Amino acid sequence: MLAMACGERPDGRVKGASLYPELVLTDSVQVIYYDTLGEERNFTFFSSTDTSIIAPVVKDASAMTIDTTTCPKEGKIYCFVKGNIYTTIYFSTGKGGCSPHFRCIRDAQLYCFSMSERSRELLTGKRSSAVRP
């Protein structure tokens, strides 16, 4: 019998909370929006310590994983804990015909998570207040 990773189910699904146990300690974020889907070169960004922005993202990325996707990324979120980057979460709010989702990489493995309507609204709504570096 093969041993499963901590928090992993027999179907290969795993809870984000077991992959990133300190994600709940996220105290600030920097959200980066790519000008063109999947292309990181040109972007705008905003930073926040507002828990009403942080909490929905953390909740979604702590849930059970979903099937991986090859959809292009719209941006990424740097999650900070005590001033240090804890992890990077990539996102797609549904542009290009993709389902809204988050994705993270851990130990060379891609993990995807469903994006709640609240997270989608926040990320879509905040894009207009993002600035160029």
Side-chain angles (χ1 to χ4, degrees):
M1 179 189 256
L2 296 174
M4 288 185 278
C6 180
E8 188 173 323
R9 298 182 346 181
D11 63 4
R13 303 272 188 232
V14 64
K15 280 199 140 220
S18 67
L19 295 169
Y20 301 98
E22 293 182 35
L23 189 60
V24 296
L25 302 176
T26 298
D27 51 31
S28 62
V29 293
Q30 185 174 71
V31 180
I32 296 174
Y33 297 96
Y34 306 145
D35 289 354
T36 304
L37 288 177
E39 294 182 19
E40 299 182 28
R41 182 177 177 147
N42 298 304
F43 61 89
T44 57
F45 76 98
F46 80 91
S47 299
S48 180
T49 57
D50 185 344
T51 56
S52 70
I53 294 169
I54 297 168
V57 172
V58 167
K59 181 179 178 185
D60 290 351
S62 296
M64 194 63 69
T65 56
I66 60 172
D67 291 337
T68 58
T69 178
T70 58
C71 292
K73 299 172 286 212
E74 289 180 48
K76 61 186 168 185
I77 303 168
Y78 292 120
C79 297
F80 292 85
V81 175
K82 296 180 183 175
N84 297 305
I85 294 176
Y86 176 64
T87 194
T88 303
I89 300 173
Y90 299 90
F91 67 89
S92 173
T93 61
K95 290 185 179 180
C98 293
S99 295
H101 66 279
F102 292 107
R103 56 183 153 186
C104 307
I105 300 170
R106 169 114 189 193
D107 299 326
Q109 179 74 33
L110 178 66
Y111 296 95
C112 293
F113 305 90
S114 292
M115 180 184 289
S116 65
E117 183 62 21
R118 180 68 183 137
S119 290
R120 191 192 69 71
E121 288 171 354
L122 282 167
L123 289 170
T124 302
K126 287 290 186 180
R127 186 175 197 129
S128 63
S129 63
V131 296
R132 298 236 170 254

